[in-house]
Amino acid sequence: MDRLKIRFSSKRFTEVIDSLSEDQKAFVVKNGFHNLLAVRKFSVPLPLLEWVMGQVIVDHCEFKHRTKSFKLTKFMVHQMLGIPSGDIPIVLHNPAPKIRDQVAQHTSLSRHGAKLSIAEAVAKLLDDHVEDSFMMMFMLVALSTIICPSTQNFVNMSYLPFICDVDGIKQYDWYSHILNYMLSEVKKYQGFISSKDEGKIYVGSCLPLIVIAYMDSLDMTRHYANHRTFVYDVPRFCNISSDDFMFVANVDRDLSNPGRPSYGIIGFRPFSCSPYFEASASVESSATRNSIDSDHISDSPQQSFQILQSIQGLIEKHCDLLKSDVSDGILQQGQTVYSDIPAYLRPAFYNRLSLLSADILSCLPSPNCAIVSDDIGNNDNVLANKDSTFSSAQSLRNEHVTLEKDISNDDINYASSPIAQQSSCPFIPESISNPIHSVSEGRVCGTPAHQICVNPTSIINSVLADITHANTPELSSKTGYDSEACIDCSQTISKVNGKRNRRMGSSTIDRKQRKKRAAIPIDDGQDCVKIKLTHQMECSYIKYVRLNHFAENDEQLPTFISISGFQCSYDSFRLSLQPRGFVDNDLMSVYVQLFNHEHKHISGGRFDRNKIAFTPFLVDKLAVDYKTYVLQSTEPELTRISQEMEMSSADLLLFPLILNDHWILICINYLAKEVQVLDPAIRVSESVLPYNSLKHVVDNVVLNFQRTCSVAEIFDRDFLKYTFQVPRCPKHSSSMFQKFDSDIFVMMLMYHWNGSFAKKFAHLDASKFRKFIAHKLMTSDLNEAADHSTPLEEVAN
């Protein structure tokens, strides 16, 4: 039986459409939602839907399965549904005062009560022939059945403020709202399947959108063109059928997986052949305009400069950010900016082009790259990288890549040529206009901007052409780039949305690992853990852990801690962290999410350790015998973790595992090339398992983890060659009152183990840590179940 339950129902919505009268259909057409009248019923096989949802990297809005990927965008939503959308963001729980006043005028629905079933809403809809009230009810039904269905069988009254004014419906940003809601439900589902193998979960939103995007990306013309004809017309919801999904589910299924259905054996076709190609047309056209016209360089078209593929992405990114800069300025300064547009664009363009140059510098090989030809004037010069990996760490991982690119002499000298200096745009940063600082002994030094020549006039024209079509709320969001940041050619760490972004070759990684190994300090026996507790921590621990805070309530909170899709109930939270309590998998999982989030922000210095921890649910799946291990059971989750945490650059990989009611910590130490088992038991006879049995379990975890990472193309390392070690670490007492602290000891070891030794701590520190981590989990901004509007000081008093 399927574990996924959804409220999406194109069948119910189609029945509503077929029951509308002609005048009612005319209202829909008049207000721009005519495409919804053509939606036909279809159903998506739930196993296929579950599999596709499992491959989504929510933080990146991206589907990724091994080497195949595509982005989930607002334009996709438009191509699916074809409904109008504007720029005003939709905030369901905090509408603007003006909107609330408009809702107050519509008393017919507010008198009905807080809930209105979909069946009752449909009955009201079919009896209504007044345009305004009909469209309001029509939108409620459409939202509750196909656009943004919830997990309940009721219409969502929270949308009423955004549809009460019929003329203003099209002004709201429905595309972003649909996409964000869908991704939040995918994240909720992923947290569920990462923690449980059984049970059912109700998920809302327009989930079939992801499956349709996946289906449209498959290359069905090579082997299946004679078996079935797919119609790729838009809107997609009006041109797909249940038979299309069933055909894909049959031919794309991986029959080698004996467990739950797995898919992904058919390759992707070129993105330009999909219905969503126009989603990046403006970016593509901007990038094309950024390329230097061959007529400006030479009369021969064969000498036109080709931009490196990896640099192309940087150009597209900064073109979009330039549009954002201009849009923000226009919003702030108003129409006065058009009186002297060149004066306004000059500093914006100068700053953006400088940042582009810095980004290019950070991802290109170091200045020691050799020009193969000794003759700089030769048009066949080739830039070769001797020992660096030139690529994103997410695309090529740790492979050694040799980069070769033809660079003509005209291309190299264009930026400093009279043509460039006499351009209609007079402001070109010095780093671009004078790209080559010195050339000696066959080396190119200084900035690598000579590899890219951008016509600033074309970019400005692109900005001015596209600024009227820009999405104002989205463009107004700033991306954290600092023009004064120090750029290192071997490593660039940019914190965008709290994520480390490293561009390093494998030789650079090895060099940094050697420095880290040499920098490990000597254990002098004086390094102890010190935990300071505040009065607020003590009070909140007494109220929420020592006492049952919700005992007198009729309804207890279903979820008390919720971080990154992993949830922990109040009972689990309280029983795990009370004195002599045993930490269960749910609490350990939310703790792991908090731990990983904090370790995204490490500085990367020689004394720092890049750590990634995995949930016990994932570790349990990895701990099964390698002969019966199903790779697909963990591949999607490991892929997501790698995208968020850059697993390939981690120093320590931590696997908390519970065996025989005793916690241990497995550590794959990339610095020391060791597989380490940290066991808090004080004597071998009290350990979790005999040595041979313990090593067998650890070998299963390491082997299954290595196989999955290799297939998922995260990295390809032979961990089986690492030495097996059981290093010294803090031990818990064998007392019956303190032997329960193995879980807390493991949580503390995750923080304080640096690959060589751990700071010393004992049971008193473990007791303090229970209070410390209880308060930290409750008050964390990552805790989606917490009410952060009320300070915990008020709640605890």
Side-chain angles (χ1 to χ4, degrees):
M1 183 176 293
D2 295 309
R3 55 187 169 181
L4 180 67
K5 302 295 181 181
I6 61 175
R7 291 293 183 186
F8 178 92
S9 178
S10 59
K11 178 182 178 181
R12 171 179 265 181
F13 184 74
T14 301
E15 292 174 350
V16 173
I17 293 299
D18 293 340
S19 302
L20 295 179
S21 62
E22 293 301 323
D23 62 322
Q24 291 173 329
K25 292 181 180 179
F27 294 152
V28 177
V29 174
K30 175 183 176 182
N31 287 277
F33 292 89
H34 52 279
N35 285 327
L36 294 181
L37 299 177
V39 173
R40 296 293 90 191
K41 64 179 180 180
F42 60 86
S43 60
V44 181
L46 291 182
L48 177 61
L49 175 58
E50 285 195 58
W51 181 83
V52 173
M53 292 172 62
Q55 316 301 314
V56 175
I57 312 296
V58 174
D59 293 344
H60 293 255
C61 300
E62 180 183 18
F63 170 93
K64 183 174 179 59
H65 178 61
R66 300 180 184 176
T67 59
K68 301 179 295 186
S69 66
F70 62 81
K71 286 286 187 179
L72 297 168
T73 64
K74 293 170 54 178
F75 187 77
M76 277 188 175
V77 180
H78 169 65
Q79 295 294 79
M80 299 282 185
L81 290 169
I83 61 175
S85 179
D87 298 334
I88 304 176
I90 297 175
V91 183
L92 290 183
H93 303 292
N94 189 26
K98 181 179 179 181
I99 298 177
R100 291 198 296 266
D101 295 340
Q102 294 174 347
V103 175
Q105 299 175 4
H106 296 268
T107 57
S108 59
L109 288 178
S110 59
R111 292 197 202 101
H112 191 278
K115 292 185 177 181
L116 179 67
S117 69
I118 297 179
E120 293 173 333
V122 171
K124 287 179 171 289
L125 172 69
L126 298 179
D127 293 338
D128 196 341
H129 294 272
V130 179
E131 180 179 350
D132 288 354
S133 57
F134 168 81
M135 282 303 302
M136 183 168 55
M137 191 61 67
F138 176 81
M139 288 300 300
L140 280 178
V141 172
L143 287 166
S144 302
T145 53
I146 64 170
I147 299 178
C148 289
S150 66
T151 58
Q152 304 294 324
N153 197 23
F154 300 92
V155 296
N156 192 344
M157 290 297 186
S158 299
Y159 287 108
L160 194 59
F162 307 97
I163 60 176
C164 59
D165 181 10
V166 177
D167 294 333
I169 295 177
K170 294 183 287 187
Q171 299 177 9
Y172 292 103
D173 189 1
W174 294 104
Y175 297 159
S176 294
H177 176 70
I178 294 170
L179 183 60
N180 293 335
Y181 181 35
M182 180 187 68
L183 290 173
S184 68
E185 292 298 285
V186 170
K187 185 176 182 180
K188 168 185 169 184
Y189 169 79
Q190 290 176 351
F192 176 84
I193 63 173
S194 297
S195 59
K196 299 179 181 179
D197 290 329
E198 302 296 336
K200 299 178 182 179
I201 179 174
Y202 278 88
V203 183
S205 80
C206 189
L207 293 177
L209 186 149
I210 314 176
V211 184
I212 297 173
Y214 173 75
M215 181 180 67
D216 292 342
S217 300
L218 297 177
D219 187 1
M220 306 299 295
T221 60
R222 181 172 300 179
H223 301 293
Y224 304 102
N226 297 329
H227 296 80
R228 182 166 188 83
T229 301
F230 287 87
V231 178
Y232 294 103
D233 296 339
V234 295
R236 301 296 296 123
F237 271 35
C238 306
N239 294 279
I240 55 174
S241 65
S242 301
D243 292 338
D244 292 336
F245 293 111
M246 289 303 302
F247 183 82
V248 170
N250 290 330
V251 300
D252 191 46
R253 181 167 180 178
D254 184 0
L255 299 178
S256 63
N257 181 15
R260 295 192 64 84
S262 179
Y263 304 88
I265 64 174
I266 300 178
F268 277 10
R269 59 180 179 161
F271 181 69
S272 58
C273 300
S274 73
Y276 317 108
F277 176 65
E278 292 297 327
S280 59
S282 60
V283 177
E284 293 287 340
S285 60
S286 298
T288 302
R289 289 191 294 268
N290 292 343
S291 301
I292 299 302
D293 189 349
S294 59
D295 293 336
H296 288 193
I297 302 176
S298 173
D299 295 334
S300 174
Q302 284 77 14
Q303 296 182 6
S304 60
F305 179 71
Q306 299 296 324
I307 296 177
L308 296 178
Q309 184 63 32
S310 56
I311 296 179
Q312 183 71 56
L314 294 176
I315 297 175
E316 296 172 1
K317 178 187 75 174
H318 283 278
C319 283
D320 290 342
L321 292 174
L322 178 61
K323 295 175 186 177
S324 176
D325 297 341
V326 176
S327 176
D328 291 345
I330 292 176
L331 290 177
Q332 295 173 3
Q333 301 184 23
Q335 299 294 327
T336 58
V337 72
Y338 292 104
S339 60
D340 191 6
I341 192 68
Y344 169 73
L345 286 183
R346 182 177 291 106
F349 182 78
Y350 183 96
N351 179 64
R352 183 54 52 194
L353 210 55
S354 298
L355 295 177
L356 171 60
S357 176
D359 269 9
I360 295 173
L361 174 64
S362 67
C363 75
L364 281 177
S366 63
N368 294 328
C369 299
I371 296 294
V372 174
S373 174
D374 292 332
D375 184 8
I376 297 298
N378 189 346
N379 289 340
D380 295 326
N381 290 338
V382 178
L383 181 64
N385 184 3
K386 293 182 178 180
D387 59 359
S388 297
T389 300
F390 178 72
S391 177
S392 168
Q394 297 175 357
S395 60
L396 293 183
R397 311 298 177 188
N398 292 325
E399 299 177 8
H400 294 275
V401 179
T402 300
L403 175 67
E404 296 184 351
K405 193 65 183 177
D406 292 332
I407 303 177
S408 68
N409 184 51
D410 292 334
D411 292 335
I412 293 177
N413 293 294
Y414 169 73
S416 58
S417 66
I419 297 178
Q421 296 176 358
Q422 296 174 7
S423 171
S424 58
C425 181
F427 46 97
I428 301 179
E430 182 180 356
S431 60
I432 298 297
S433 61
N434 188 18
I436 302 179
H437 296 176
S438 64
V439 179
S440 63
E441 299 181 0
R443 295 194 305 170
V444 177
C445 303
T447 68
H450 60 277
Q451 298 193 45
I452 174 171
C453 301
V454 181
N455 190 338
T457 305
S458 63
I459 295 184
I460 292 181
N461 292 337
S462 170
V463 172
L464 295 178
D466 294 334
I467 197 65
T468 57
H469 304 289
N471 189 325
T472 303
E474 184 174 358
L475 288 176
S476 62
S477 60
K478 302 270 185 192
T479 304
Y481 292 95
D482 185 1
S483 59
E484 298 179 359
C486 179
I487 305 298
D488 186 310
C489 295
S490 62
Q491 174 182 2
T492 298
I493 301 178
S494 70
K495 294 181 180 178
V496 182
N497 297 328
K499 179 177 182 297
R500 286 196 313 273
N501 185 15
R502 297 166 180 246
R503 302 183 180 94
M504 294 186 293
S506 59
S507 61
T508 303
I509 293 178
D510 291 337
R511 184 167 60 253
K512 288 184 173 293
Q513 303 293 0
R514 291 195 298 270
K515 292 181 179 180
K516 285 189 175 184
R517 285 194 293 270
I520 293 177
I522 300 176
D523 183 6
D524 56 4
Q526 302 298 323
D527 200 1
C528 300
V529 172
K530 296 181 180 179
I531 301 176
K532 295 182 179 180
L533 298 177
T534 64
H535 176 71
Q536 179 187 348
M537 293 179 183
E538 296 278 6
C539 293
S540 62
Y541 182 79
I542 293 174
K543 187 165 188 175
Y544 287 95
V545 180
R546 296 298 298 270
L547 303 176
N548 193 340
H549 179 69
F550 298 101
E552 300 178 358
N553 294 354
D554 295 332
E555 295 184 3
Q556 293 195 6
L557 295 178
T559 300
F560 191 64
I561 307 292
S562 177
I563 301 178
S564 299
F566 289 84
Q567 300 178 348
C568 179
S569 66
Y570 175 67
D571 289 337
S572 176
F573 172 83
R574 176 175 172 269
L575 295 176
S576 295
L577 293 178
Q578 65 183 222
R580 286 184 288 170
F582 186 80
V583 173
D584 65 8
N585 286 342
D586 288 339
L587 183 71
M588 184 66 78
S589 295
V590 296
Y591 171 79
V592 165
Q593 307 310 310
L594 180 66
F595 175 88
N596 284 338
H597 177 77
E598 292 181 350
H599 281 75
K600 287 182 181 180
H601 304 282
I602 67 171
S603 63
R606 291 193 301 166
F607 292 97
D608 294 319
R609 299 294 176 263
N610 299 332
K611 300 179 182 179
I612 297 179
F614 302 93
T615 66
F617 298 108
L618 176 64
V619 181
D620 284 340
K621 297 175 184 178
L622 293 171
V624 302
D625 190 273
Y626 70 93
K627 297 178 182 178
T628 59
Y629 171 69
V630 179
L631 185 143
Q632 289 80 1
S633 64
T634 60
E635 180 188 354
E637 187 172 356
L638 287 177
T639 301
R640 293 195 299 269
I641 296 173
S642 178
Q643 291 282 343
E644 297 171 0
M645 294 290 297
E646 293 189 25
M647 198 185 302
S648 59
S649 62
D651 301 323
L652 305 178
L653 301 173
L654 306 175
F655 303 81
L657 178 63
I658 179 173
L659 295 172
N660 296 347
D661 296 329
H662 180 87
W663 282 93
I664 64 172
L665 182 64
I666 303 172
C667 173
I668 297 180
N669 189 334
Y670 185 51
L671 290 175
K673 300 296 187 293
E674 293 177 351
V675 175
Q676 302 165 335
V677 177
L678 305 175
D679 186 356
I682 195 169
R683 290 192 294 266
V684 176
S685 60
E686 298 171 351
S687 183
V688 54
L689 285 175
Y691 178 83
N692 292 338
S693 300
L694 177 62
K695 189 175 186 305
H696 176 71
V697 173
V698 174
D699 286 345
N700 285 332
V701 172
V702 174
L703 176 59
N704 294 332
F705 176 75
Q706 174 181 308
R707 289 170 53 197
T708 309
C709 290
S710 178
V711 172
E713 298 186 349
I714 298 173
F715 51 66
D716 189 8
R717 298 174 185 166
D718 191 359
F719 293 133
L720 297 182
K721 292 183 179 180
Y722 287 16
T723 58
F724 182 84
Q725 298 289 339
V726 183
R728 297 177 57 186
C729 67
K731 304 290 186 178
H732 63 72
S733 170
S734 59
S735 168
M736 63 178 297
F737 299 105
Q738 297 178 329
K739 66 181 181 180
F740 300 101
D741 277 346
S742 65
D743 43 17
I744 301 297
F745 272 52
V746 164
M747 296 170 77
M748 297 179 70
L749 283 171
M750 290 168 63
Y751 265 107
H752 300 297
W753 177 252
N754 74 343
S756 178
F757 71 94
K759 291 184 177 181
K760 295 181 179 180
F761 52 85
H763 289 280
L764 179 60
D765 302 302
S767 299
K768 293 182 178 180
F769 188 79
R770 289 180 185 270
K771 302 175 183 179
F772 172 79
I773 199 61
H775 182 270
K776 195 168 188 177
L777 286 171
M778 285 189 291
T779 58
S780 172
D781 292 337
L782 301 176
N783 183 12
E784 301 169 357
D787 182 9
H788 295 288
S789 61
T790 303
L792 193 62
E793 294 89 338
E794 299 179 8
V795 179
N797 292 330

